[in-house]
Amino acid sequence: MPRYAMVIDLQRCVGCGSCSISCRNENNVTEGIYWSHKITETSGKFPNVRYHYIPTLCNHCTNAPCVRGCPTEAMHKLENGITMHDPKKCIGCRYCMINCPYGVIYFNWKDAHPSWRAGNSVIKEVTASPAEEVRKVGGKGTPYYNPERDATLPGIRPKGVVEKCTFCDHRVKRGKLPRCVEACPADARIFGDLDDPESQVNQLLGKFRPFRLKEALGTEPAVFYIRDFSSAGYPRTKGGI
Amino acid sequence: MKEKESNVVTTIREILSDAKLSRRSFVKGSAVTGTAMGLGFGWKPTLRALAQASAPLSDGMGEWMPATCQGCTSWCSKQVYVVDGRAVKIRGNPHSKVNMGAACVRSHLSLQQVYDPDRIKTPMKRTNPKKGRQEDPKFVPISWDEALNTIADKIMELRKNHETHKYMLMRGRYSYMRDVLYDRMTKIIGSPNNISHSALCAEAEKFGPYYTEAIWSYRQYDVLNAHYILLWGADPLAANRQVSYYSKVWGDVVDKATIAIVEPRLSASAGKADEWLPIKPGQDGALAVAISHVLLTEGLWYKPFVGDFKDGKNLFISGQMVDEEAFEELHTNGIIKYWNLELKDKTPEWAAEITGIPVEQIRRVAIGYGKAAPHAISWLGGGPCMQVRGGYSAMAVHALNGIVGAVDNVGGTLKANKEYTGKFPKPDDFMDDIAKKGKKHKKIDQRGRLQFPCLKKGKSGGGVITNNAADGILKDDPNEIKVAIGYMNNFSFSAPQPERWERALSKIPFLVHITTNASEFSWFSDIVLPDTHHMFEKWGYVKAMGNGYRHVTLMQPIIKKVWDYKIDETEIPWLIAEKLAERGFDNLLRHYKTYKDPETGKAPTNEKEFALYALKYVTQNLWDPAKYKGGDKFNGWEEFRKVGVWNSDPYPFRKRWGKMKTKTGKFEFYSETLKEALEKHAKKHDTTVDEVMKATNYLARGETAFIPHYEEPFILGEEKEFPFIHVDHKSRLNREGRSANCSWYYDFKDLDPGEEVWDDVAKINPIDAGKLGIKSGDRIKLASPTGSLICTAKLWEGVRPGTVAKCYGQGHWAYGRLASKIFGKVPRGGSSNDLIPAQYEALSGSSAYYAVTRIKIEKV
């Protein structure tokens, strides 16, 4: 059984967020919930300023605090290393959210895709209502609903349960890369098997000094980062007194 | 919209380490349950839906279909994942050598566009005869038949009265099927007035390369072989062109090349640059000539391209004239004249004060750039040139490529590769006397007048001055406009000082709009026709270049059409032609019937056949093996259609050295090409070039008019009343101002550096904000001498003090439920165009967007 991991090459990353929007799309994630997300920072003072971007997602920790804290085993580890959630077992207690040090688990406070439920139209008889559009197109929740998500998890998660990134387990199961990896225009995400010494993931982990988020906590994330978002050069200097 | 999250991590420092918890205590702590007490329960999971939800493994439910994205002018080839006729996902078309399978972030928003519930699903007409921003048009649905009959009647009335020149066609986003509607229909009806949006886009950007190396076009850049990339107001990782391609390779580009970016705002590309040069708006020309000065004084020009001093000694010494005879020039023209007339005194010290960039940085960038010659790109974006006096900055910035020999060279700046699409049949034989006479009238945008040279490709009045058409309409000058059609344009939102368009459109007695959404333009229309979405529902093609290739990529109807849309550039003109024929004027229909299917030789019999045959007709050279001319080879239409994209042969480097289409055949620092164009324009108006300079608001006199040079920017507003210079910029999520009705746009708006989700912010330097007592989140009003908008303040270090950066894209008061706060009444956010005055770079006809106005900030 493989043990999946992701390497994010920050130098290749251009901070565009294609990962996040394509994830929304693939997993039919509702507004305001970000399975794939980022942290940005503008550092320095004008004119010595730079913008930095770190993509984030569920780290699929080996030592997952969300799993340990779940009273119903809804949050669980798959053999392939993916941290998976079973909404059927979820009681909505949100311990996992409290325990996750990365803030990547979200709670469905309301029914998904609220804006698509509206029944009013902007111009009477000339434009449709969102609900009518979904019906007429034949989607579910949204007109561009992805039915393939439904293979291993409800295509749209109901109110009252948590949800988060699953490393696109439904795709991985069919031998396909997670959607964020496929969709990254910069090829900044590299996915593969940690147990295969020849995998591209291991090749990169051997070449660079990778880092993981909040490593000191001992969660053993399966998401590794290499290189820097900014690879700026600067004039040689020893500084001064 | 955003729910409160627990454990929200907000800074990079915070997520890289956590000093508060040790490894032991954290992992142990995570197993306990008491921490959740404060959250409160009372949430009953909805489990009913789940029981039905577990379906069998759904594998391969859809198919990737070829498509083309026109979310920006990169014009990438894409693929759409179609499940049961429904568009579900987007990716790059792996067959394209231009975008190489990459899809930028904005492409995904097309899904929310095509299924936008606020798209009009049927033709409609206004029932309120009064037109104006405050007048609800009271639209009611009508049939296609009624709509087309009305349009045909109005056109026939013009024909009957021999006033066909009062017909006007306005073009917005187009494919290369455009000529069917834009050119052929306008000509055969008999009007000169086909007005494109091009001068709102980038004409001034084409001015620089045209009057140096005779290409009126955008360029492509050989970034993977470049050692230095100097970006001027260009943001290739966020705004066009070839965002997908540059996103794909940038991680490798930064390994090899030094990246320096000139821009008053810290852009997405600046985030990954080695040098940021936050220039004072409008001073780009000063920086460009100062860099040129350093290149010459330091002996860093590329001798195999430019040539050298006859005795090998560098005579370019600051402040000193050089004898033209002393230099033997190779593939360029006028390097010594350029030095003597402009560069000799333009030292970094001179430029530092004007530009706000330190002397050391100017020198460092210049020397780094020069040492990288000839693999050193000077990349001209819209910023430095879409300014009132930006034409010569465009030349100065592009001329840097000439100095370092990057023109047409490996690791340099390239033109488009050859492609072999054809043209539609000529309209001449179908133009009757009324049409011929009508077409002879002058155009409504007043191009070619003394103050509007619009020197596209060297011709006086050769290019469009889009935004001035509003004034032409308002003043009936050269004549009134009685019947007008606009398609996929939205001038009353997308053009500076749009209030003029509101009045102009209200004045046109009969206005038709072909559009997907009821926009700010539709608001003034009598009839609105529902358009197809280019990416999923239309037959068409576009050409684009990048990565040393050119591709021709197809648009095809690949999804189930939900409502009654028709294709703007083919189906609708055909249907109008049928209606005109019914009324005894069949010239247009007879013309369209000559667009025969190359495979069967059959003439089209209805609008659907016409749309397809017209496309096959113009692209035949690409897919018909019998007509093969180069690039990718197909065995027929079906194969081309399935692949969806044709690629050219690779770029032939340095083939144009010494054979450019300029007057001298060389790369012109002293532009004989511009001299001829200006002299012809002056002669046409019986005056001198100096008078043309004066009329177009330029300061150059004499020979300086023919060389790249610095001009002090022309910025509206007194500094005392309007202390800040407005900096307009684009969003990586913009689909040309048409994504504001997509929820993803707002949920991800902070993908633009400095921006916020679900808000529209003006980015202000904290030093300036402090003086005004403004905090992030304050509601503020920005006002220029010509307009104002209301938005939210955001304090940000990524803007130059003395400037305010505001992103274009929001501020719609129509277009849809999300785009506007109250449809037809209240905008969501503020549109930059409400601040920008209608000013022009008149030599190209371009609207000025940058360094064109000062503004003030007031708390509201």
Side-chain angles (χ1 to χ4, degrees), chain A:
Chain A
M1 182 56 84
R3 196 158 55 94
Y4 290 118
M6 184 183 292
V7 174
I8 298 182
D9 180 348
L10 295 172
Q11 182 175 318
R12 284 239 154 87
C13 175
V14 294
C16 72
S18 293
C19 43
S20 295
I21 295 193
S22 63
C23 167
R24 272 279 172 93
N25 184 196
E26 174 73 30
N27 296 297
N28 308 312
V29 178
T30 190
E31 288 152 29
I33 292 185
Y34 302 80
W35 289 17
S36 163
H37 211 2
K38 84 278 182 189
I39 300 166
T40 63
E41 195 170 307
T42 304
S43 60
K45 292 241 181 264
F46 181 88
N48 301 305
V49 195
R50 279 298 182 282
Y51 172 78
H52 306 275
Y53 184 106
I54 294 187
T56 56
L57 65 160
C58 170
N59 281 295
H60 298 277
C61 305
T62 305
N63 202 355
C66 59
V67 171
R68 298 177 67 122
C70 177
T72 64
E73 294 179 348
M75 198 65 85
H76 59 284
K77 294 295 286 182
L78 299 180
E79 267 183 68
N80 59 14
I82 291 175
T83 304
M84 193 61 194
H85 184 248
D86 182 352
K88 274 185 269 187
K89 291 185 183 162
C90 182
I91 55 166
C93 70
R94 286 170 282 144
Y95 289 162
C96 53
M97 290 169 68
I98 298 289
N99 286 329
C100 172
Y102 305 108
V104 295
I105 307 175
Y106 292 80
F107 187 68
N108 282 290
W109 291 95
K110 48 191 172 194
D111 288 324
H113 305 296
S115 65
W116 286 104
R117 293 166 190 269
N120 65 321
S121 57
V122 161
I123 306 174
K124 227 173 99 194
E125 292 172 56
V126 173
T127 63
S129 73
E132 186 187 8
E133 181 78 16
V134 176
R135 250 193 334 270
K136 180 96 177 178
V137 174
K140 188 175 151 190
T142 68
Y144 41 82
Y145 171 79
N146 173 25
E148 291 174 358
R149 173 64 269 188
D150 189 44
T152 63
L153 194 70
I156 295 169
R157 277 67 55 196
K159 184 163 83 175
V161 299
V162 300
E163 63 177 77
K164 64 160 198 74
C165 158
T166 69
F167 259 178
C168 278
D169 65 300
H170 61 297
R171 294 172 59 93
V172 169
K173 210 163 172 173
R174 283 153 45 204
K176 297 173 81 144
L177 291 168
R179 176 66 176 143
C180 60
V181 176
E182 179 192 61
C184 176
D187 298 332
R189 292 180 177 225
I190 300 96
F191 190 77
D193 180 6
L194 269 185
D195 285 345
D196 171 5
E198 291 307 309
S199 69
Q200 283 91 342
V201 163
N202 274 324
Q203 288 179 31
L204 289 170
L205 293 181
K207 188 163 186 171
F208 298 97
R209 166 68 179 86
F211 68 89
R212 294 178 286 179
L213 302 184
K214 297 193 179 184
E215 225 153 348
L217 298 178
T219 51
E220 297 290 324
V223 175
F224 298 82
Y225 297 85
I226 57 170
R227 306 205 285 179
D228 273 326
F229 186 74
S230 165
S231 60
Y234 63 98
R236 187 184 293 272
T237 176
K238 285 190 193 295
I241 297 163

Side-chain angles (χ1 to χ4, degrees), chain B residues 103-258:
Chain B
C104 82
V105 63
R106 67 166 58 74
S107 63
H108 302 287
L109 270 66
S110 61
L111 294 168
Q112 291 197 324
Q113 283 186 316
V114 68
Y115 295 131
D116 183 342
D118 302 334
R119 281 181 71 179
I120 52 170
K121 52 185 190 180
T122 167
M124 61 182 184
K125 69 172 179 194
R126 79 183 299 124
T127 56
N128 178 2
K130 277 197 259 165
K131 292 182 183 177
R133 171 90 174 250
Q134 308 307 329
E135 295 291 339
D136 184 338
K138 298 207 163 42
F139 285 122
V140 297
I142 54 172
S143 67
W144 273 99
D145 212 44
E146 182 186 341
L148 294 163
N149 279 331
T150 315
I151 295 167
D153 284 342
K154 295 286 177 186
I155 294 172
M156 288 310 289
E157 209 178 301
L158 293 181
R159 293 213 27 107
K160 194 181 81 197
N161 297 330
H162 294 238
E163 49 181 18
T164 52
H165 57 289
K166 296 177 181 173
Y167 167 81
M168 178 183 187
L169 189 282
M170 284 166 270
R171 184 182 91 193
R173 174 48 49 228
Y174 63 91
S175 82
Y176 285 94
M177 307 304 282
R178 63 190 181 189
D179 282 347
V180 173
L181 171 65
Y182 174 74
D183 183 89
R184 304 304 194 260
M185 180 164 136
T186 314
K187 280 180 178 160
I188 291 171
I189 289 173
S191 174
N193 286 317
N194 49 359
I195 300 296
S196 82
H197 76 297
S198 297
L200 298 180
C201 186
E203 293 307 271
E205 192 190 314
K206 301 170 186 172
F207 186 86
Y210 187 81
Y211 289 106
T212 48
E213 57 165 316
I215 51 170
W216 189 270
S217 154
Y218 310 123
R219 284 73 53 212
Q220 51 175 331
Y221 300 100
D222 188 20
V223 290
L224 283 170
N225 292 308
H227 297 166
Y228 207 105
I229 299 175
L230 179 53
L231 294 150
W232 300 81
D235 192 5
L237 298 183
N240 94 77
R241 303 174 175 83
Q242 302 324 328
V243 177
S244 299
Y245 167 66
Y246 293 126
S247 296
K248 186 170 184 99
V249 298
W250 212 251
D252 298 331
V253 171
V254 296
D255 263 342
K256 218 168 176 182
T258 301

Side-chain angles (χ1 to χ4, degrees), chain B residues 262-303:
Chain B
V262 183
E263 167 125 30
R265 165 196 66 109
L266 190 80
S267 65
S269 303
K272 291 186 86 73
D274 297 278
E275 300 259 6
W276 179 38
L277 297 92
I279 194 162
K280 288 184 188 165
Q283 307 295 3
D284 312 81
L287 184 60
V289 294
I291 291 175
S292 305
H293 179 97
V294 176
L295 292 173
L296 297 187
T297 52
E298 295 290 328
L300 293 172
W301 71 91
Y302 189 61
K303 287 152 191 111

Side-chain angles (χ1 to χ4, degrees), chain B residues 652-671:
Chain B
F653 290 105
R654 289 184 299 273
K655 285 281 188 291
R656 291 191 297 122
W657 283 22
K659 282 182 278 184
M660 289 178 183
K661 299 217 164 116
T662 51
K663 210 155 172 256
T664 58
K666 298 180 173 184
F667 185 93
E668 298 184 336
F669 297 115
Y670 182 90
S671 182

Side-chain angles (χ1 to χ4, degrees), chain B residues 481-550:
Chain B
I481 294 295
K482 282 188 167 171
V483 176
I485 301 179
Y487 83 96
M488 286 314 286
N489 67 327
N490 194 9
F491 296 161
S492 36
F493 177 79
S494 63
Q497 223 178 318
E499 155 281 327
R500 294 153 42 261
W501 278 102
E502 293 175 9
R503 284 184 287 125
L505 298 178
S506 301
K507 185 172 175 292
I508 298 173
F510 184 72
L511 180 64
V512 179
H513 198 208
I514 304 170
T515 180
T516 55
N517 290 58
S519 71
E520 290 78 5
F521 191 99
S522 316
W523 195 256
F524 303 93
S525 301
D526 295 273
I527 286 186
V528 184
L529 302 175
D531 198 358
T532 48
H533 188 287
H534 68 267
M535 192 152 162
F536 310 89
E537 299 167 332
K538 169 177 177 170
W539 288 112
Y541 79 97
V542 290
K543 316 175 237 186
M545 58 176 156
N547 189 31
Y549 287 92
R550 195 170 200 187

